[in-house]
Amino acid sequence: MEFSSKLIEKAVNEMSQLPGIGKRTALRLVLHLLKQPKEQTGFLSQALLNMRADIKFCESCHNISDTKVCEICANAARNHQTICVVEDIRDVMAIENTGQYKGIYHVLGGKISPIEGVGPSQLNISTLVEKVKYGKVVEIIFALSSTMEGDTTNFYIYKQIAESEIIISTIARGISVGDELEYADEITLGRSILHRVPFEKTFKNN
């Protein structure tokens, strides 16, 4: 792709680093920004800079937050005895959009994947185990995607907390095997949360 301006070329190259954005789409976005008033581009640039500088991760659940403790964890009306374990922040948003879940979350930050070099120590697993050991947790809900990596991560955590006297469940498999949680429709995802099943059944029946 030929550019008549090095400034445009650099902007396109940076924009195309975003997931799902190719060079043509990046060029279209850059040219759109070029047509906007300068202050509009300034608002966008400042918003991105502020986000990178000021965004925090909740000290309790590792969700993104503007404060040390996120709004969900700080909400006394939520059920703090039920923890939904998810892979990343997008899954929290997906489940919250269902309006069916009233507990709190624990964001792992990924899944165990030896192929990609991701082990348990690189995920937020130890803090979850600490919550189970020293908190007032009644139920842990596994809400990871139905993939081999997701199932491996579920089983690893299960082995870490199996001796505790809490309910360990997983979302019902209304979510197709291999599907990512964030792409499930809200009705299916909501029903999967409501009709969760004991985690032990998911591997004892295999």
Side-chain angles (χ1 to χ4, degrees), residues 132-133 136-140 161-168:
V132 172
K133 280 185 178 180
K136 297 180 180 179
V137 181
V138 172
E139 181 180 8
I140 292 288
I161 62 177
E163 294 182 3
S164 60
E165 296 180 359
I166 64 170
I167 300 167
I168 304 174

Side-chain angles (χ1 to χ4, degrees), residues 29-167:
L29 292 172
V30 168
L31 293 177
H32 171 77
L33 290 173
L34 199 59
K35 292 178 183 178
Q36 302 304 303
K38 285 186 178 181
E39 61 267 21
Q40 188 64 43
T41 306
F43 293 150
L44 173 60
S45 301
Q46 194 59 52
L48 293 173
L49 289 171
N50 290 345
M51 178 191 69
R52 288 300 292 131
D54 300 331
I55 200 74
K56 297 176 177 61
F57 291 91
C58 177
E59 293 179 349
S60 179
C61 73
H62 309 288
N63 190 18
I64 52 173
S65 177
D66 293 340
T67 54
K68 289 184 178 180
V69 177
C70 72
E71 291 183 356
I72 295 174
C73 288
N75 188 347
R78 306 286 296 219
N79 178 5
H80 286 249
Q81 294 182 320
T82 301
I83 299 177
C84 185
V85 180
V86 297
E87 178 184 349
D88 65 27
I89 293 150
R90 292 169 297 181
D91 299 330
V92 174
M93 295 176 178
I95 294 173
E96 283 297 287
N97 285 337
T98 71
Q100 299 293 327
Y101 179 66
K102 303 304 179 185
I104 58 175
Y105 297 90
H106 188 89
V107 181
L108 295 176
K111 295 174 289 192
I112 295 173
S113 177
I115 293 176
E116 296 179 6
V118 179
S121 63
Q122 294 166 276
L123 304 177
N124 300 318
I125 293 176
S126 60
T127 50
L128 175 62
V129 175
E130 290 291 308
K131 286 179 187 177
V132 172
K133 280 185 178 180
Y134 304 110
K136 297 180 180 179
V137 181
V138 172
E139 181 180 8
I140 292 288
I141 305 169
F142 290 134
L144 273 63
S145 53
S146 306
T147 60
M148 183 178 293
E149 291 82 5
D151 289 344
T152 299
T153 307
N154 285 341
F155 188 70
Y156 178 86
I157 297 172
Y158 170 77
K159 296 297 286 184
Q160 301 297 307
I161 62 177
E163 294 182 3
S164 60
E165 296 180 359
I166 64 170
I167 300 167

